[in-house]
Each structure stands twice: as C-alpha cells, then as structure tokens.
Amino acid sequence: MGWLKKLKYLLTSPKGNAQGVKNARPVTFGHVYTQEELDKEKLSSSLQQNIDTITEMLGFNSDFVKREFFLGAEQPLPAVIFYMDGMIDIQELDQGIMRPLLESYRYRSSGSELLKLLHSGGLITRAEKFEVSSFGELIPQVLSGSVILLVEGYSKAIVISCKGYEMRSIPEPVVQNAVRGPRDAFIETLSVNISLVRRRLPTPNLVVETIQVGKVSSTNVAIVHLKGIASEGLVQEVYQRLNNIDIDVILESGYIEQFIQDSPYSPFPQVIVTERPDKVVGCLAEGRVAIFTDNTPLALIVPGEFMSLLQATEDYYYKFYFPTFVRLLRAAAFLVALVLPSLYVAITNFHQEMIPTTLLIGIAAARQGVPFPAYFEALLMELAFETLREAGIRLPSPVGQAVSIVGALIIGQAAVQANIVSPLMVIVVAFTGIATFTIPQFNLGITVRLLRFPLMITAALLGLFGVMVSLLAILLHLCSLRSFGVPYLSPITPFNWQGFKDSLVLAPHWSRRLRPQELVQYNRQSMGDNQKPQPPDKSN
Amino acid sequence: MVLLQKKLLAGLALLLLVNLTGCWDSREVEQTGFVLGVGVDRGKEGSIVVIAQTVIPQPPGVGGNAAGGTMGQDTFHNWYSVGETMFDAVRNLTQKSPNRLFWSHNKIYIISEKLAREGLMDVMDFVERDPEFKQSAWILIAKENLEEIMNASSNMKQAPAQVLADIIDVRDRNSKYAVSSLGDFLQQLGSDKIQAYTAGVTFYQGLMEEQNTVALPNQEKPRAKELRVMDTAVFKQDKLVGWLNQEESRGLLWLQGKVKQGLLVLHMPNHKMVFEIFNSSTKLEPVIKEGQLIMKVKVKVSGNIGEMHPGTHMNEKHLQETEAIIAKTVTKQILSAVQRAQELNTDVLGFAAVVHRTYPKLWQQELAQQWSEIFPNLEVEVDVEGRVRGTGLITDPLQPK
C-alpha cells in the first residue's frame, strides 16, 4: 500500500501542499483504532473525560450528535447523550428518552436520586436498555443506532436502543416470482427478514443465532435452524465455517457463500439462494440451515444439492402432476440450455447423416451465403446474446426495454438479412436463452451460461464425441461434489427412494411421510400415518 | 508469476487453435452436396456411368418449402460421370461438382436394366463397402432410359429421387410391386436361400405441361415426364432374368407376408366388387409326402367391402360367396407368382429358406445341391381363408330408381 503512505505524507507533512493550500481540510488523519484497543479502554467516572474520549473518536463526524444537559433540579448532575443522526428514531428520542430525563425534576429533585432511579430501570420508557462499561462495547452500539447516556460520576454508559433508520417496505419477489404463493420477499434489514420467518414458524424450536462477521463491517449474520429437525452436526459445521471467516467487509451474502463452499473452484453453486421467506421455511422444515446476512435481501440455505436448485417453492403449492411435469421440463430445459448450441454445431458440422433430409436441406439453404463456419457463428451469437443480457441488466430501466427490443429484434433481423448469421442459429440461441430462464436458481443459470462455451469449443473440435466427453467430465465433477457433506447429486445418486419422491418428480404431500434421508438422521417422520384422503366410510 | 504467464499463454494458444485447425472431418452444410439419388449404368467399353442427383437448397423466404422449389428454379442437379469402376466414376464426380458430395442421405439407388441383365456385382461392392451409403436406401431397376428417369419430375419440381422415395413410402396402399432396400438386396444377393428381387421404375408422359420450355406458337407444349414405380425385377444370382407383373408381384408379396393394405378387385358372376385388405398373415409349411416335397401356403386375409356395383344384395349367403372368391383370387395371384418364378427357375419366393429352417439336416444332406432341380417342379398347395369383416358404412349399394 505504498500509494496510501504517499498520500498520507502529502496531506500531513508540513512541507506538503495540503498545508499551503487555503481552505485545507481541517481534519487530520487521526489514530486508527483496533477492537482490542477499544476493549481495553474503560469508561471513567469523570464525565468530561468520557466526553473527550468519545469526541476524539467520533467528534469529527458530521452526523455525530451530542446533547449536554443537567439531570435533576437540586444538585444537578451534568449528563450527556450521544447518537448518530439518521440512525435513530427522533420522535422516540424526544418522547421516550429526552422528555422523562428533562422533566424528571418534577418528581425527584436530586440528581443522584434520579441516577439511582435510572439505574434501577425507571425514568426512561424505552424497553431496550442496558449498561456497558468499556468503549469497546459502547462505540459499536452508538454506531449501530443506539442512544448513549453518560452521567457525571457514573462509570458506566447507559445504552438505550432507539433504532429508527430508513428501510424499504417489504416488496414482492423480484427474481423468484410465483403465480401461486405468498408475495413477500426479504429486504436489507436482518431483523425484518427474521421476523418474516418467525411469523411462519411460531415455535420455540426455531433457533436464530447471530454472529458478527467482518473485522470492519461487523455484519450481523444469523444462523437459523429448526431444533430437533436439523442435524446438530450440520448446524455446528455452519457455525464453524462462518466463525472462521476473517475478512474486513461483508457487503452481501455472496461473500459468505464463497467462504463456506465445499469446493471453491467448482462452477456449480452449492448453496441455495432465495429471496422468499416461504422457501426458507420449507427448507428449514426439511432440516436445512438458513444463513441471513444483514444488508442482504437474499438468504442462503445449506446444503444446496443439485436437485434442490432445480426446484421452485411454487412446485409444492400445486397438485403433484403439474410440478412433476414442470420439474421434468426444467431438467430438460437445463440440458437444452447447456448443450443445444454445441449439439447444433456438432451435428451440422460432423454428423449430417443424423439430420432428417428435409431439415438438412433447410439448414443448408439457410446457411447459403453465411460467411462464417457454424461454430464461429454460434460463438458470435452466444456472445452477442450475453452482451444483450448484460446490457439489459446494467442499463437504466427506462432505456433498458428499448435496448432489449432493439437488440433482440432489430439487430437479430438485420443480422439475418445481412447474411451474417443464419436464421436457424438465431432460433437456437434464442431458445437456449429462454431455456436458461426456466432454472429457478439464477446462480445455477449462470453456471450453465458459462459451461456452454467450453462445450461449444469441444463440439467444434471433435463433434458429438467432444460434446459427450465434456458432458461426461461435467457429470464426473458433479458426482464428486458435496455440499456440507451431502452428495451433490443425491437423491439420484446415491439413490434413495424417499428423496427421489421430491427431486425430479414430486410425489403427493401425503405420500412423502419421511424427511430427506441425507439431511435428517433422527426424527424423520414429518406427518402422521395414513394421511391419504379417503372417502368417508359409507356404512356409518 | 512466470508459471502463470506461461499457463495463460498456453490457454490463449489453445483458444487460437480452435480457429486454426481444419478439423479433418468437419464439413459445413452449405458446402456439401447432398446426394438424394444415384443412378448407375454401363457405359462404352465396359465403363461405369454414375449419375448423382444432388439437391440445390432453396434460400428461405423465396417461397416454397425447402425440399420443394420455386418457379423456374432448379431444385436438383444431376452430375454425370464415367469411370472404369463404380468408385472411380464416383470420385470423378469431384472434377465437376464444386461441393463435396455426401452420400448418407441417398434415398434411391437406380440401376439400369441393361446393367442389371449383365450382372450387377460390379456396382454393388462399393455401396456395400463405403460407410456413407445407407443400407436403408431403396434399390430400383430402370425400365427406361436412366438419364430420363433421373430427370423426370413434375411434382413441385422436387428431386426425382425424393419423389420416388415418397412413392415407395406409400407402397402398402397398392401392394402391386415388391421393392427391396439396399441392405435387404445385398443380403438376398449373398444368400443361397432366396434370390434377389426389387421393383422397377419407369416414366411416362404426364398430363401436365412442361413448365420451363418455350413452345412454338402452333406447337403443343411438351408434356412433363412423370415417374412410376411398377413391376418387380427378378434376379438369378446377380443377373436380372425377368419381370413379375402386377398380379405376380402381389403373389410374391402374399408369399412374403407383406400385404398389409391394398385392394382385391373381385370378379363376381355378374358384377365387380372391391375388397379392401386390412390385414393378412402368411404361413409357409413344407411337408414331405410320399418322398415328395410339397409347399403348403396358408394365407389368412381380412378386410372390408370397399366398393360394390349396384344390383347386388348383401346377405349371409352372398358374403360366403364373396369370401370364397377372395380366396380364389388370392390363390390365383400366389400361383401365378409361383409359376413365373418356376419358369425363370429363380427362387425369389424364399422357399429354400423355409425348407432349410424346417428340415435343416435334410437340407444339408441333399436338398441344397438339388434345389435348382426341385424348385421348378415344386408342388405348391395354397389354402386361403378370406374374411369380410364389414361392409363399410352401408350394406347395399345405391339403387337407381
């Protein structure tokens, strides 16, 4: 970090430019605090000393607010409250904290008596209130939206929770839409997300443990599981993997995902990512563990094996025929999305005897005058498609639609008419793109999009043989993967019948009496016997 | 770092390789000539003439479907080539065709009658040996000039080979000729239990006028040539020895158990009636009676009355009469085929195979050597059971009143 030193030198050295310039920045680079340092620093009984310490640490921040006042009418005690502007509910601060403190002289006059009352839990009407004695505990509290009350002669700080920052209201799911099912989705606030889950599972067995991850960001990460269903080993493993993360900042759950994966180099996602509370609850009931990250509207669920990534929550809300059909369709679409362009390249270039004559003549006619070989055409179109998709995401939403229409329709049409690509290739690429969108987990979709390219290259080099070799390599890789100890391809291989009922197909709810074997070891029965609906006995 | 750089460079080189390699058997579709039909004839001084028919893909959006065509535009091209042998002639095609010819979509393999009469082993080895030739292609014998047959197409200007393949696809509807696929034909040639047979192809002047020719003012426009698959060529070893006509061809199909559809026109005492075959089964059973080999043929045929002339009344008795006449007609067809095959002394009926299967020891010991003497004089007993299942929607024909 040489450049940082240089910058520091320029700004702080007496000969540097910063000193000579008018209107130079008044704040100097002060001391950089570490957590250990803060922990060591205890609060003193002198109010002024405490104020000085805090002001030294936070005083230069423009959103840092300090309010000094006197407690009591006779023998008033000097007191002060601190908070960070914008992090607290001002209304609550005025009504629940400031008003009782300032109007307290009406009931008791002495400052020390009021302090005693305060200590015993009186005076302040806010519910969440506790005391801390070191700056190590105090500073994070004030920075995360608590009000700190310091009183002269009292060597502890009173922390009053008064959080009230701006947050989104609960939105509809954006990525994981559903026709049938609840319409709420997670937001950036951890506590709200937890409440969405807890509202669906009002049981003492729902365990929410929170740990802080990130040296600088101290992001709250909640591990949620259902006691008695989730295996203890799994919960322990999740806890340990999260605890081992040592990183400055966690911006999003994606950071966590990368740190807790079994095979970090695998292109396949090993974690379920969802924005739907009902998905989380369903997975918890199966014995999985959910990980919520503060400031992330997405929850992670582990283990995430392959079949679970092809399932949508909505599947469970319909009668089993339809989900079975849709799941098979999705599996087919997954294959199509993976291999269709490479199959097209391989067959048209190497195995023309496999195509029905009429279709072959059609392909030959469509390709008349196209200057590029088929594989190059496929690569070109796929890259163009990916570019369009990326542009569609990045563009501001008012422009995005126009661009996607221009890109998809006009450029495609023009490219065909200009004989740069054949119309059939456009169909192949477009269908491949659409097939990708049937995969409910977008991180699996990304994998498919990426793997398509090496497949196309092997197809161009070796034909169907190349495609088969690549597919075999992918299959071998999938067989060797594990997600939190669960084989990635289970319950297909290793096969187990109970699990299979909820994998590629979906058996009726009443026939899936047992919880997945690979997740739950004990307490496997999830419903009573004979749940299959029967017509009432006619003899009665 | 150096290692990483080297790895990166290697990766880049690999990526570039994709664009540099020729991929030895990679073949772009638009640079390939798809052969739909092959015609083979004997040229001068023992040379072999090969006519390869390729499709010219029609650019999309001009109108017409891909296999069909548009007005005034050729949809197929016949490449003509002469060589000392079949393969030589085929390879000589590359002197003329700009596209590499691809034979796996070949549907029709036509051999001129002249060549077939001389013996066609010269032209069969290559198609058997070469991996690109599909055994499912149909083999046909040209009854007329091969070149004209390869040119005769008026059906949407489709390639004649495609037209022939489509005609053969519906062969069961008439069951008037017996055709063999290339694979079956090769097998028949190599077998001593059955002799080879396949259908003939000819052309005739159709009713439609030729589209592309300009006629003089007082001259009639020439009629377009149309194709027809008819009769069955019968081989002895690899030489064509004769033809079975429609009736005899049907007899051959009965014996092969291949009549699944088709009509029987029944000549009743004073009117005609058409019986539409729905299903049939054939059983060949050779028996030895008093030291004499007799071939028993049992045929069961069922179907509907398809057409009836007025003046008849359908009742139980009439139905029995009809069934008897059905049996008689089928018997006649079978016997005519047998008679013709015996005349030509070529066992296209496959009797030898049945005898071999039934009496393997006897066949090994004596019948195999004597078969050419036994077959022409083999007694054939035909037993046909005809059954009318229904009369269609009505029983009696409309009576004019």
Side-chain angles (χ1 to χ4, degrees):
Chain A
M1 292 294 143
W3 58 275
L4 195 66
K5 257 185 198 162
K6 213 171 183 179
L7 191 73
K8 226 171 174 178
Y9 171 77
L10 278 176
L11 289 171
T12 51
S13 73
K15 285 173 196 166
N17 295 333
Q19 289 282 317
V21 176
K22 267 186 188 176
N23 302 328
R25 193 163 153 268
V27 179
T28 52
F29 289 89
H31 184 65
V32 177
Y33 296 97
T34 63
Q35 190 65 38
E36 293 85 60
E37 251 179 289
L38 288 175
D39 282 338
K40 257 184 242 165
E41 192 127 5
K42 297 283 175 207
L43 280 149
S44 99
S45 57
S46 154
L47 180 64
Q48 195 51 50
Q49 201 178 328
N50 287 340
I51 291 176
D52 288 348
T53 314
I54 292 180
T55 312
E56 195 194 326
M57 287 177 186
L58 301 173
F60 51 85
N61 290 305
S62 54
D63 57 345
F64 178 72
V65 181
K66 186 172 77 177
R67 165 77 147 88
E68 287 174 83
F69 61 98
F70 287 96
L71 197 62
E74 295 166 23
Q75 300 167 322
L77 283 173
V80 67
I81 61 167
F82 300 105
Y83 63 90
M84 301 304 284
D85 195 20
M87 299 285 285
I88 62 153
D89 188 342
I90 296 289
Q91 211 82 45
E92 277 299 327
L93 174 69
D94 290 350
Q95 295 300 321
I97 302 171
M98 287 312 283
R99 185 186 287 265
L101 284 176
L102 292 179
E103 292 181 352
S104 57
Y105 61 85
R106 289 183 186 167
Y107 323 111
R108 299 283 170 92
S109 45
S110 153
S112 53
E113 275 176 48
L114 283 173
L115 184 60
K116 227 179 256 172
L117 182 65
L118 205 59
H119 185 60
S120 66
L123 207 52
I124 286 168
T125 49
R126 292 288 304 166
E128 196 181 335
K129 170 177 140 322
F130 54 94
E131 294 178 1
V132 295
S133 57
S134 83
F135 283 96
E137 293 163 282
L138 187 145
I139 296 296
Q141 285 300 332
V142 68
L143 291 179
S144 62
S146 290
V147 175
I148 310 292
L149 172 61
L150 292 172
V151 185
E152 171 68 43
Y154 190 54
S155 63
K156 280 183 177 176
I158 300 162
V159 178
I160 308 148
S161 175
C162 189
K163 283 177 193 163
Y165 36 78
E166 290 301 317
M167 58 165 104
R168 276 202 298 159
S169 57
I170 292 176
E172 288 203 17
V174 189
V175 187
Q176 292 164 332
N177 283 322
V179 176
R180 188 168 176 180
R183 298 266 193 285
D184 51 348
F186 292 130
I187 61 168
E188 285 76 8
T189 317
L190 179 66
S191 54
V192 175
N193 293 348
I194 299 288
S195 76
L196 288 177
V197 173
R198 202 175 269 291
R199 231 179 49 205
R200 288 170 164 86
L201 292 170
T203 156
N205 292 332
L206 179 71
V207 181
V208 181
E209 291 166 275
T210 306
I211 59 172
Q212 268 84 35
V213 183
K215 274 187 304 212
V216 175
S217 68
S218 305
T219 310
N220 284 320
V221 175
I223 308 167
V224 182
H225 74 275
L226 268 174
K227 234 186 329 183
I229 296 177
S231 87
E232 281 166 27
L234 176 64
V235 179
Q236 195 61 38
E237 183 65 34
V238 172
Y239 186 83
Q240 261 168 16
R241 287 192 195 184
L242 284 175
N243 232 5
N244 283 343
I245 300 176
D246 186 6
I247 182 183
D248 278 352
V249 178
I250 301 278
L251 289 183
E252 211 264 356
S253 58
Y255 280 64
I256 305 232
E257 186 184 340
Q258 289 198 28
F259 276 102
I260 60 172
Q261 276 180 354
D262 289 51
S263 310
Y265 286 113
S266 168
F268 283 87
Q270 296 141 53
V271 170
I272 305 170
V273 181
T274 187
E275 56 172 346
R276 297 180 63 91
D278 54 337
K279 172 90 181 171
V280 171
V281 171
C283 286
L284 289 177
E286 279 180 344
R288 295 178 207 269
V289 175
I291 302 164
F292 288 84
T293 315
D294 205 0
N295 308 317
T296 304
L298 297 166
L300 306 179
I301 300 165
V302 293
E305 73 274 11
F306 186 70
M307 280 303 151
S308 65
L309 298 174
L310 284 179
Q311 295 166 2
T313 340
E314 206 182 354
D315 294 353
Y316 298 94
Y317 304 153
Y318 292 107
K319 202 172 213 182
F320 51 95
Y321 298 119
F322 180 66
T324 300
F325 166 71
V326 169
R327 282 181 175 184
L328 291 171
L329 194 75
R330 269 188 218 129
F334 174 81
L335 274 180
V336 163
L338 192 62
V339 300
L340 188 64
S342 37
L343 270 190
Y344 175 79
V345 169
I347 292 179
T348 54
N349 269 347
F350 291 89
H351 313 277
Q352 285 143 1
E353 61 277 0
M354 283 179 65
I355 317 174
T357 312
T358 337
L359 178 62
L360 183 62
I361 295 168
I363 294 173
R367 279 192 55 79
Q368 288 296 329
V370 175
F372 305 118
Y375 79 88
F376 188 74
E377 197 191 349
L379 272 179
L380 198 75
M381 280 304 285
E382 283 293 345
L383 285 175
F385 184 76
E386 292 296 327
T387 313
L388 272 176
R389 176 146 49 181
E390 183 63 18
I393 298 171
R394 274 334 127 215
L395 274 164
S397 49
V399 200
Q401 208 162 25
V403 165
S404 58
I405 290 169
V406 169
L409 289 176
I410 301 175
I411 295 182
Q413 179 72 17
V416 167
Q417 281 184 350
N419 250 344
I420 295 173
V421 291
S422 68
L424 212 78
M425 197 66 231
V426 177
I427 297 174
V428 167
V429 170
F431 188 67
T432 311
I434 289 170
T436 321
F437 291 122
T438 61
I439 303 169
Q441 282 288 322
F442 47 85
N443 44 3
L444 186 60
I446 290 167
T447 308
V448 169
R449 275 157 65 187
L450 284 181
L451 285 179
R452 214 180 272 156
F453 290 96
L455 268 167
M456 269 193 283
I457 290 169
T458 49
L461 286 173
L462 299 168
L464 275 188
F465 175 72
V467 176
M468 285 321 290
V469 167
S470 314
L471 283 180
L472 216 60
I474 291 173
L475 188 69
L476 284 176
H477 171 68
L478 287 181
C479 287
S480 71
L481 269 187
R482 268 163 194 276
S483 174
F484 281 81
V486 176
Y488 199 59
L489 286 183
S490 70
I492 304 295
T493 170
F495 184 81
N496 87 68
W497 177 241
Q498 282 300 326
F500 183 74
K501 285 180 182 174
D502 182 11
S503 56
L504 267 183
V505 298
L506 182 65
H509 291 306
W510 40 260
S511 76
R512 291 185 291 114
R513 222 164 48 82
L514 299 180
R515 298 195 176 95
Q517 187 182 334
E518 58 271 17
L519 296 172
V520 183
Q521 276 85 40
Y522 314 103
N523 187 17
R524 290 197 53 215
Q525 195 164 333
S526 68
M527 61 181 80
D529 297 331
N530 299 325
Q531 287 294 298
K532 184 181 171 185
Q534 308 257 334
D537 202 346
K538 272 182 191 146
S539 58
N540 292 340
Chain B
M1 279 303 273
V2 178
L3 190 70
L4 189 71
Q5 273 179 358
K6 275 186 179 171
K7 272 185 185 170
L8 274 175
L9 274 177
L12 265 177
L14 271 176
L15 265 179
L16 284 175
L17 262 183
V18 180
N19 293 290
L20 292 174
T21 50
C23 300
W24 61 274
D25 63 346
S26 170
R27 189 171 40 214
E28 292 295 334
V29 262
E30 71 275 13
Q31 284 158 12
T32 310
F34 297 105
V35 179
L36 283 197
V38 185
V40 188
D41 200 352
R42 178 72 78 186
K44 284 172 195 151
E45 293 158 13
S47 59
I48 298 285
V49 173
V50 168
I51 302 173
Q53 187 165 85
T54 58
V55 274
I56 302 171
Q58 302 297 309
V62 190
N65 59 341
T70 46
M71 298 288 282
Q73 231 173 340
D74 279 336
T75 57
F76 64 94
H77 190 95
N78 287 339
W79 303 97
Y80 182 93
S81 152
V82 186
E84 286 182 51
T85 67
M86 174 88 184
F87 197 11
D88 190 34
V90 163
R91 211 23 88 75
N92 284 345
L93 284 167
T94 54
Q95 292 177 319
K96 296 171 181 171
S97 164
N99 293 331
R100 213 198 114 176
L101 296 184
F102 184 62
W103 304 82
S104 283
H105 282 271
N106 182 33
K107 294 180 183 307
I108 300 290
Y109 188 54
I110 306 178
I111 294 168
S112 75
E113 186 168 351
K114 183 176 140 201
L115 181 61
R117 290 214 183 258
E118 286 173 23
L120 40 66
M121 276 335 279
D122 286 356
V123 298
M124 294 311 284
D125 181 72
F126 174 66
V127 292
E128 190 179 11
R129 199 179 293 276
D130 192 272
E132 274 189 18
F133 275 91
K134 267 192 185 168
Q135 305 267 297
S136 61
W138 300 109
I139 183 162
L140 292 172
I141 306 298
K143 295 185 88 169
E144 299 278 348
N145 185 339
L146 179 70
E147 286 161 40
E148 288 190 70
I149 287 173
M150 298 289 281
N151 258 323
S153 176
S154 62
N155 182 9
M156 294 281 293
K157 303 223 39 119
Q158 250 187 332
Q162 182 68 51
V163 175
L164 283 173
D166 291 346
I167 290 175
I168 294 174
D169 272 349
V170 293
R171 63 191 178 282
D172 281 348
R173 300 290 288 172
N174 54 57
S175 296
K176 284 185 173 173
Y177 54 87
V179 67
S180 294
S181 68
L182 196 54
D184 287 347
F185 193 78
L186 286 166
Q187 211 169 10
Q188 289 160 5
L189 281 178
S191 162
D192 60 341
K193 317 283 189 314
I194 187 168
Q195 295 297 323
Y197 64 88
T198 193
V201 56
T202 182
F203 68 90
Y204 62 99
Q205 301 292 324
L207 292 176
M208 303 294 286
E209 286 171 349
E210 191 96 61
Q211 296 282 352
N212 288 340
T213 49
V214 185
L216 293 171
N218 53 355
Q219 216 174 10
E220 226 181 284
K221 258 193 160 185
R223 296 279 176 79
K225 282 174 259 173
E226 288 178 12
L227 291 163
R228 181 178 178 192
V229 183
M230 61 184 290
D231 297 349
T232 305
V234 173
F235 288 77
K236 184 158 187 167
Q237 286 169 337
D238 68 326
K239 293 185 176 60
L240 194 155
V241 288
W243 291 90
L244 303 186
N245 63 18
Q246 281 184 19
E247 176 129 341
E248 293 154 357
S249 300
R250 173 69 69 85
L252 173 62
L253 289 171
W254 283 123
L255 288 165
Q256 305 264 334
K258 282 182 182 166
V259 184
K260 294 297 164 208
Q261 291 174 55
L263 306 179
L264 282 178
V265 181
L266 308 175
H267 296 266
M268 309 292 279
N270 43 18
H271 67 277
K272 283 182 190 166
M273 189 187 258
V274 173
F275 175 69
E276 190 183 0
I277 302 160
F278 282 176
N279 201 5
S280 82
S281 66
T282 305
K283 210 174 156 194
L284 298 181
E285 194 185 346
V287 289
I288 299 170
K289 209 189 236 173
E290 298 157 8
Q292 196 79 25
L293 191 67
I294 298 172
M295 182 63 76
K296 281 190 172 175
V297 181
K298 276 184 190 158
V299 176
K300 280 182 185 170
V301 52
S302 66
N304 263 7
I305 299 296
E307 196 182 3
M308 226 153 114
H309 282 186
T312 42
H313 174 60
M314 186 54 81
N315 54 25
E316 195 66 28
K317 185 169 157 262
H318 190 244
L319 211 59
Q320 277 168 9
E321 277 173 29
T322 310
E323 284 179 348
I325 290 181
I326 290 168
K328 212 177 102 187
T329 314
V330 173
T331 308
K332 205 178 130 211
Q333 287 173 344
I334 293 173
L335 287 177
S336 70
V338 171
Q339 195 193 344
R340 187 88 178 102
Q342 285 177 336
E343 271 172 31
L344 299 168
N345 193 10
T346 173
D347 185 9
V348 282
L349 313 171
F351 282 176
V354 186
V355 174
H356 180 204
R357 241 177 283 139
T358 322
Y359 305 108
K361 271 188 190 160
L362 205 61
W363 176 265
Q364 294 282 356
Q365 284 162 7
E366 44 183 331
L367 290 177
Q369 292 85 16
Q370 300 165 4
W371 190 245
S372 56
E373 288 100 59
I374 298 171
F375 178 72
N377 307 310
L378 188 68
E379 195 178 322
V380 179
E381 277 180 19
V382 184
D383 175 22
V384 180
E385 186 191 322
R387 203 169 75 80
V388 177
R389 287 206 309 210
T391 61
L393 280 178
I394 52 172
T395 33
D396 292 341
L398 191 67
Q399 294 290 342
K401 277 171 187 161

